[in-house]
Amino acid sequence: MKRSDMEFWLRSLERSGRHQAFYLSHARHCLQMAAEFCRLGNRSEAAKALTDAGKHRRMAVACIRDAAGIRNLLLEDCHD
């Protein structure tokens, strides 16, 4: 793998990590909002917030999968 390719994949790995942190942060915020809505007795808004938290969590998991794929690609190149 050329140096420019390696740098591209390392930047992609870094970006994936930032996106993962972003989505997990939003998922946490949605969970906090859901807890607050439950405390206030607003079950409808709590359900919406839980749904949003699930969406953000799934996006974070997708970022984890992307990072694992990039890592595997880089490891394979190291072993060649």
Side-chain angles (χ1 to χ4, degrees), residues 15-55:
R15 187 172 39 254
S16 181
R18 282 195 315 269
H19 288 166
Q20 177 188 349
F22 171 83
Y23 287 121
L24 288 175
S25 173
H26 281 280
R28 182 176 185 203
H29 174 73
C30 289
L31 289 173
Q32 290 170 337
M33 293 302 297
E36 184 63 19
F37 286 132
C38 279
R39 190 183 70 73
L40 296 172
N42 190 339
R43 293 176 56 128
S44 173
E45 288 299 317
K48 288 178 189 176
L50 286 174
T51 299
D52 287 345
K55 290 176 185 176

Side-chain angles (χ1 to χ4, degrees), residues 12 44 56 69 80:
S12 296
S44 173
H56 291 304
D80 288 343

